Amino acid sequence: MANARQSNFMALIVQKYGGSSVGNPERIKNVAKRVAKYRAKGDQIVVVVSAMSGVTDNLIKLAKEIMPLPTEREMDMLLATGEQTTIALTAMALHSLDLKAVSLTGSQAGIVTDDVHTKAKIQHIAPKQVHALLDAGNVVIVAGFQGQTSAGHITTLGRGGSDLTAIALAAALKADLCQIYTDVDGVYTADPRIVPGARKLDEISYDEMLELASLGAKVMQSRSVEFAKNFGVIFEVRSSLNDNPGTIVKEETKNMEDVVIRGVSLDKHQAKVTLVAVPDQPGVAARIFKALGDASINVDMIVQNISHGAGKPATDLSFTIDKPDLLKTRKVIDGFKAEIGYREAIADENIGKLSIVGVGMRSHSGVAAKMFETLAREGVNIEMISTSEIKISVVIELTKGEQAMKAVHAAFLE
Ligand code: ADP
Ligand code: ASP
Ligand code: MG
């Protein structure tokens, strides 16, 4: 492999540009200018791009106008077109600056996935073609968010999946640097669009970033952070609109525990499903969650209440899922209604999951009490609670989500 260290090139850099960073022709030209600057220094550049902002959402809307629950294979075929548009446009923008550039789809870049359409996992990457093109002096532009099964079917990697493409490619290519360019200056203590007092972090540990990302901070796709942690890919989240230094995401260091709470996140894309009067017997929960798991539905929080009343013991079982999975969930739970014999299923889409995250929580006490007191003062009712060593999450009414987020951020971080 002729990578940066073995040849005269200064560095091999993977740069990922998200939807808003390639949102119009002007922005794409700006991306090309930034790439050209690095190229002028002699660096080898692999560019990963998302679909232009709004494109993926529009494609999903279009599909739903044809049928409410399209097959996931055809969804992938459709959604992959978004990124295919931007790779070609980005290559053209580089050509117009007289740079050699070649665009590749995920499969051309050697990204092989399993066959779980719309949420596929990368199995391996064979970047032969990427290396060959880099060695021939090209900027290589790879379509984010997509791959191909070993049987040749196009897959996608879950929403926000271009982050994963970039990090997985950085690992496979042993890149010297992985930069995630987006529309904010880095990772903040909370979404700066919701919390005006949010501060940019200079660095954050993989574990904290992973929790924040999986709990609603969409600045990074959570699976991509998991991948980075597993393969030790250090990356920087930074703005495509300026040259400010961003946030470095890396392994935890000693002094990180001095900070109790690193950040606050709010997930508005969850729904709560309650199965009322589920027979309280061994094996029932296993049957329910196995069926959901088999349908690739990610269940997050689970709460079981013992219901009162005469007759056979029964419980109410509530769990949260991603909102887009609600229709599929309904189908699955309708499917086992007769067999399991719960009374009814209630779906609540008006929920938000508010979380605080920080590795310092391990060594500091009283954090939950402070969070709950803050919510009480705001008149926010807590519907569900879940904790881990480094996070506390609560399910609350969606309409009070932003107010609660601001209050909790002020209590811990301002
Ligand atoms: P891209 O299209 O570049 O992938 P995303 O829209 O997926 O960008 O993610 C960037 C957005 O993430 C920001 O515009 C911001 O509103 C949101 N965001 C949520 N939480 C955070 C946070 N803690 N720090 C920074 N941005 C955040
Ligand atoms: N275009 C895809 C999405 O909107 C992937 C990405 O942007 O990372 O989810
Ligand atoms: Mg994103």
Side-chain angles (χ1 to χ4, degrees), residues 62-364:
L62 203 57
K64 301 244 146 122
E65 281 173 31
I66 303 283
M67 70 182 293
L69 206 55
T71 67
E72 286 167 342
R73 184 193 182 280
E74 298 312 323
M75 277 313 282
D76 278 354
M77 191 61 98
L78 179 68
L79 297 191
T81 64
E83 272 69 13
Q84 204 167 326
T85 306
T86 21
I87 50 169
L89 293 174
T90 308
M92 292 171 195
L94 284 160
H95 294 163
S96 74
L97 299 179
D98 286 330
L99 281 176
K100 281 178 77 178
V102 177
S103 63
L104 299 176
T105 62
S107 82
Q108 288 175 324
I111 298 174
V112 180
T113 73
D114 63 17
D115 59 3
V116 183
H117 284 287
T118 78
K119 292 176 188 167
K121 285 204 172 67
I122 295 179
Q123 287 181 326
H124 67 271
I125 300 186
K128 227 171 93 185
Q129 159 108 279
V130 177
H131 280 307
L133 288 166
L134 284 174
D135 289 346
N138 292 286
V139 174
V140 178
I141 302 141
V142 179
F145 178 52
Q146 54 175 263
Q148 193 174 349
T149 66
S150 48
H153 300 282
I154 291 178
T155 50
T156 64
L157 310 175
R159 295 305 306 268
S162 301
D163 295 333
L164 179 56
T165 306
I167 285 174
L169 270 174
L173 296 167
K174 299 190 173 57
D176 298 288
L177 214 58
C178 180
Q179 302 172 322
I180 307 290
Y181 286 93
T182 183
D183 57 2
V184 283
D185 278 3
V187 180
Y188 282 66
T189 50
D191 188 340
R193 295 185 202 286
I194 302 177
V195 181
R199 282 179 290 110
K200 192 191 81 182
L201 297 162
D202 292 334
E203 56 179 30
I204 184 169
S205 70
Y206 289 129
D207 287 338
E208 290 168 325
M209 187 69 250
L210 184 55
E211 289 285 13
L212 283 177
S214 48
L215 295 167
K218 75 162 186 163
V219 62
M220 284 301 297
Q221 188 213 31
S222 60
R223 284 177 47 199
S224 71
V225 183
E226 206 175 342
F227 197 103
K229 180 180 151 89
N230 290 342
F231 289 85
V233 179
I234 297 171
F235 61 95
E236 181 185 12
V237 180
R238 55 186 300 188
S239 172
S240 66
L241 307 169
N242 59 48
D243 287 322
N244 299 342
T247 303
I248 305 290
V249 187
K250 59 178 194 180
E251 203 49 74
E252 184 181 332
T253 51
K254 266 220 165 78
N255 61 350
M256 283 183 177
E257 272 206 13
D258 298 345
V259 179
V260 186
I261 300 301
R262 185 84 50 203
V264 180
S265 63
L266 175 66
D267 189 345
K268 302 176 179 175
H269 301 103
Q270 293 254 304
K272 182 174 76 174
V273 176
T274 302
L275 299 180
V276 181
V278 180
D280 192 7
Q281 290 159 11
V284 170
R287 172 75 186 89
I288 292 170
F289 293 107
K290 166 101 177 42
L292 293 166
D294 287 348
S296 299
I297 294 163
N298 290 328
V299 173
D300 179 34
M301 290 184 178
I302 302 173
V303 170
Q304 180 174 314
N305 297 313
I306 305 296
S307 25
H308 303 284
K312 279 192 181 160
T315 70
D316 290 348
L317 193 63
S318 297
F319 53 89
T320 59
I321 51 160
D322 296 334
K323 237 179 239 180
D325 281 343
L326 190 54
L327 216 54
K328 202 159 78 164
T329 303
R330 277 202 179 281
K331 228 171 132 180
V332 173
I333 59 185
D334 284 350
F336 58 57
K337 184 166 198 287
E339 182 196 335
I340 286 184
Y342 62 84
R343 191 184 317 139
E344 62 173 325
I346 303 166
D348 183 359
E349 293 187 74
N350 183 32
I351 61 157
K353 187 169 57 180
L354 178 67
S355 308
I356 54 175
V357 171
V359 289
M361 249 187 242
R362 290 192 203 115
S363 47
H364 293 77

Side-chain angles (χ1 to χ4, degrees), residues 26-39:
E26 221 39 60
R27 295 250 172 118
I28 293 176
K29 287 183 191 170
N30 281 336
V31 166
K33 278 188 208 149
R34 187 181 294 268
V35 173
K37 258 202 253 168
Y38 278 89
R39 203 63 197 108

